[in-house]
Amino acid sequence: MASCVGVRCATARDCRLARVLIREVMTESVVTAEPERTVREIAELMRERNVGSVVLVDGDEPVGFVTDRDLALSVIADGRDFGDHVADHASSPVITAEPGMEVEEAGELMVRHGIRRLVVVDGGRLIGIVTLDDLSSRTGDAELASQLSARVTRAVMPDFFFHERGGG
């Protein structure tokens, strides 16, 4: 066991990762919109701002989260009306992280909820966003990136994809 200031770790490398905080890897520039906006307006906003997600806010408080994948699967694939309120197709409640949270804890939160993005709040106020890619690429640890990606992917995929096939 290696030890870092107040942290017990299996190796010194683990200690280095444990000290990386969300505030160090998050993106502060977040695209937001009101929940009353239409699906079409949000899709246009995503295209204009070149983003794959939008945080729905009431003032500074995040109340929903919508991704391009949400729109593809719950609107387009289901033949829904593009004039629907986007809030009807958004994830809610929003899964959040705090700026002082350690990267490892944020990764576990993503795995637990099967998500690739966390909205970062401070005192309930939106201050940023952190993605699975941020956690892995900005810590500079390829092994961490691979492990987190595999675990989140497994969490969101139906069990069907992980059963043994063939035989005989």
Side-chain angles (χ1 to χ4, degrees):
M1 277 288 161
S3 86
C4 305
V5 182
V7 181
R8 289 180 49 98
C9 307
T11 67
R13 180 182 135 298
D14 292 338
C15 288
R16 180 182 58 80
L17 289 175
R19 290 192 308 238
V20 177
L21 302 179
I22 292 300
R23 73 170 52 91
E24 298 170 45
V25 299
M26 73 180 196
T27 300
E28 293 180 20
S29 156
V30 182
V31 177
T32 63
E34 301 79 25
E36 301 80 26
R37 302 273 298 269
T38 67
V39 167
R40 180 178 304 282
E41 290 173 322
I42 297 303
E44 291 169 352
L45 180 62
M46 287 178 174
R47 181 182 62 208
E48 290 166 10
R49 300 290 294 275
N50 194 30
V51 296
S53 63
V54 174
V55 179
L56 304 180
V57 294
D58 182 6
D60 284 336
E61 181 184 351
V63 294
F65 189 79
V66 65
T67 67
D68 47 5
R69 188 170 193 275
D70 293 332
L71 298 183
L73 297 181
S74 74
V75 179
I76 297 168
D78 287 346
R80 303 287 298 268
D81 185 347
F82 295 165
D84 285 356
H85 285 168
V86 73
D88 296 339
H89 305 283
S91 299
S92 183
V94 179
I95 308 301
T96 62
E98 295 184 2
M101 180 182 282
E102 294 174 356
V103 163
E104 185 177 345
E105 184 180 353
E108 290 300 322
L109 197 54
M110 288 179 177
V111 169
R112 188 173 328 125
H113 292 280
I115 57 176
R116 295 179 175 273
R117 299 169 180 95
L118 290 172
V119 173
V120 184
V121 296
D122 190 8
R125 193 177 124 269
L126 173 66
I127 62 165
I129 190 167
V130 65
T131 68
L132 179 62
D133 290 341
D134 293 334
L135 297 185
S136 49
S137 66
R138 295 189 186 163
T139 60
D141 188 310
E143 184 180 332
L144 173 68
S146 177
Q147 288 175 359
L148 281 175
S149 184
R151 291 175 65 202
V152 168
T153 300
R154 168 106 187 172
V156 299
M157 298 295 286
D159 284 338
F160 167 81
F161 292 105
F162 298 98
H163 287 132
E164 290 273 338
R165 290 192 208 30

